[in-house]
Amino acid sequence: LRLERHPLGRGGPTLRAWDAADGYALEHLEGDVAYAAGTRVLVANDAFGALTIGILAGRPRRALPPLTTWLDSHLDEVGLRANLARNGLAETDLEVVHATDSPGGMFDAVVLKVTRDLATIEDQLHRLRPNISAETVVLGAGMVKHVHTSTLELFERIIGPTTTSLARRKARLVHATVDPQRDPGPSPFPVRFITDDGLTVVSHAGVFSSRRLDHGTRVLLDALAADDAMPPGAHVVDLGCGNGVVGVTIAGWRPDVTVTFVDDSHAAVASSRATWAVNHADRPSTFLVGDCLDPVADASADAVIVNPPFHAQAAMTRDVALQMIADARRALRPDGQLVVVGNRHLNHHTTMRRAFGNVAVIHSTPKFVVLRSVVPN
Ligand SMILES: C[S@@+](CC[C@H](N)C(=O)[O-])C[C@H]1O[C@@H](n2cnc3c(N)ncnc32)[C@H](O)[C@@H]1O
């Protein structure tokens, strides 16, 4: 298979688009129902498509129905579609279901990639119950560091009797037998918490800091509360919005602003939409899924506010933050401001000064700095 990461090189030029757990699962499934013609297969959490494309490539050509892949990240989807084409497969071989939608109908085989995000697995297993029967093969695949006793307990509690394979190349498989009598109840997601400002924050599974305000976000909001430099009627972009707590809080202080929420994660954007609906239902706002500020027009924003991620598809990196800073320069109007919170050691001020020609510290704590750059008029 020819598999590449997307965007190429983000997170490091030598990173691969698959891991040993993908290989282990594909080998295990050989000769199984997942590779047979006419069966319905669901793959979940498959960054860049190694499992999806591996199974598709092993099935009879143009086997119907299409394989269903359940994913959250916009970039993962773009990467998966590009890898599909690289391997001579057609878009019609695939049905993509986004994280906040539920797959429809019954499945003969379900393959879940187990990542460090246990909340998403818990939510998915609950939501899959109506789509599986005693005949469905349910397989989890993950690196040993992500497959814990608590992971196995989730499969056992929600699906049925569960065993795990021997570890191979630091990867492990999880085999669950569907117990039709088991009734684990509904998914506990979305979850809610209330901020010190009295706002209700709604988070779907897998969304950043879903049960409490993140420390960095708290420092960012403290800085903005003490130093509001946005013009009347400002268009504010909450970039990497997660559950929307930043944009919704600013809108609570300033009834005159409009907010656009952007995130690479469908679950994040759906969470922001839900958080907005609880707190400001009567006000218009915009919700966009995309990479950094790709979906935001040039010179259209008065402020971009961001607590940047420090990883891209599980790889630790500053690359996404750097792209966000570059994009903000493009999306902001003259006099528009970019406000970034980050760990001191991340050195965002150097990148911001290079992109904008200026940068100021507007707040700092022993761990975090909040920086502002302004587009020269
Ligand atoms: C540190 S979290 C901040 C979330 C929220 N603003 C808060 O403060 O709680 C970073 C967010 O960036 C999002 N993200 C990661 N990569 C992205 C990308 N390439 N484009 C847009 N958003 C991205 C993540 O999904 C996550 O929601």
Side-chain angles (χ1 to χ4, degrees):
L1 300 180
R2 291 188 51 216
L3 299 169
E4 286 181 7
R5 294 174 68 90
H6 178 84
L8 208 60
R10 189 181 279 179
T14 56
L15 285 176
R16 292 184 318 182
W18 71 93
D19 64 23
D22 297 324
Y24 200 175
L26 289 173
E27 274 174 44
H28 173 80
L29 289 167
E30 255 171 58
D32 207 324
V33 63
Y35 285 104
T39 56
R40 284 201 78 213
V41 183
L42 173 75
V43 172
N45 318 323
D46 185 22
F48 313 116
L51 287 168
T52 304
I53 292 165
I55 295 172
L56 274 174
R59 282 162 73 85
R61 282 277 117 165
R62 300 287 169 267
L64 287 171
L67 187 147
T68 304
T69 197
W70 202 10
L71 48 76
D72 183 44
S73 154
H74 164 77
L75 284 172
D76 283 0
E77 180 175 350
V78 176
L80 188 153
R81 290 188 190 279
N83 282 330
L84 200 69
R86 271 187 195 101
N87 290 280
L89 294 157
E91 290 275 329
T92 47
D93 291 326
L94 195 67
E95 178 201 28
V96 175
V97 179
H98 294 144
T100 40
D101 298 326
S102 287
M106 298 302 288
F107 289 94
D108 301 291
V110 171
V111 185
L112 293 118
K113 186 70 181 283
V114 177
T115 64
R116 72 160 69 81
D117 175 13
L118 206 56
T120 293
I121 296 286
E122 180 177 10
D123 182 53
Q124 287 172 332
L125 293 178
H126 275 283
R127 288 165 59 203
L128 272 176
R129 280 294 318 195
N131 310 90
I132 55 180
S133 70
E135 281 74 50
T136 306
V137 172
V138 177
L139 184 73
M143 299 309 289
V144 168
K145 62 183 175 194
H146 297 141
V147 182
H148 308 287
T149 310
S150 51
T151 319
L152 304 177
E153 282 168 0
L154 276 185
F155 279 83
E156 179 88 33
R157 177 166 59 79
I158 304 169
I159 303 297
T162 297
T163 56
T164 179
S165 70
L166 290 174
R168 237 179 58 186
R169 281 183 247 120
K170 297 190 185 155
R172 203 180 271 286
L173 300 179
V174 179
H175 306 275
T177 308
V178 181
D179 175 358
Q181 308 308 326
R182 201 151 298 196
D183 178 12
S187 169
F189 298 95
V191 292
R192 291 169 175 236
F193 72 87
I194 300 193
T195 66
D196 294 347
D197 292 15
L199 296 168
T200 299
V201 178
V202 185
S203 301
H204 286 278
V207 168
F208 177 78
S209 211
S210 59
R211 293 178 193 272
R212 67 194 62 86
L213 194 63
D214 170 62
H215 189 185
T217 308
R218 161 54 55 208
V219 174
L220 172 66
L221 290 175
D222 285 348
L224 293 169
D227 174 38
D228 181 359
M230 285 178 225
H235 173 211
V236 179
V237 177
D238 180 351
L239 173 57
C241 57
N243 52 32
V245 66
V246 171
V248 169
T249 302
I250 294 171
W253 298 330
R254 290 279 305 263
D256 59 309
V257 303
T258 57
V259 186
T260 295
F261 295 85
V262 194
D263 204 290
D264 170 60
S265 150
H266 287 270
V269 173
S271 304
S272 290
R273 194 186 281 278
T275 301
W276 184 268
V278 178
N279 297 286
H280 307 301
D282 49 337
R283 287 170 60 181
S285 58
T286 306
F287 303 92
L288 303 168
V289 177
D291 179 24
C292 298
L293 287 167
D294 269 2
V296 175
D298 293 2
S300 62
D302 297 294
V304 171
I305 316 290
V306 60
N307 176 5
F310 15 82
H311 51 258
Q313 285 100 348
M316 296 291 288
T317 179
R318 291 173 68 224
D319 292 358
V320 184
L322 301 188
Q323 187 63 50
M324 286 177 162
I325 293 167
D327 281 14
R329 178 69 181 83
R330 173 189 60 73
L332 284 164
R333 298 187 177 119
D335 285 335
Q337 55 173 312
L338 167 66
V339 179
V340 178
V341 65
N343 267 290
R344 281 182 175 282
H345 68 87
L346 288 175
N347 261 348
H348 290 322
H349 66 270
T350 314
T351 320
M352 290 172 69
R353 182 176 296 112
R354 206 172 293 141
F356 288 76
N358 63 81
V359 65
V361 176
I362 57 171
H363 188 47
S364 70
T365 67
K367 197 167 169 204
F368 294 100
V369 279
V370 183
L371 304 167
R372 173 158 51 219
S373 289
V374 179
V375 178
N377 198 331

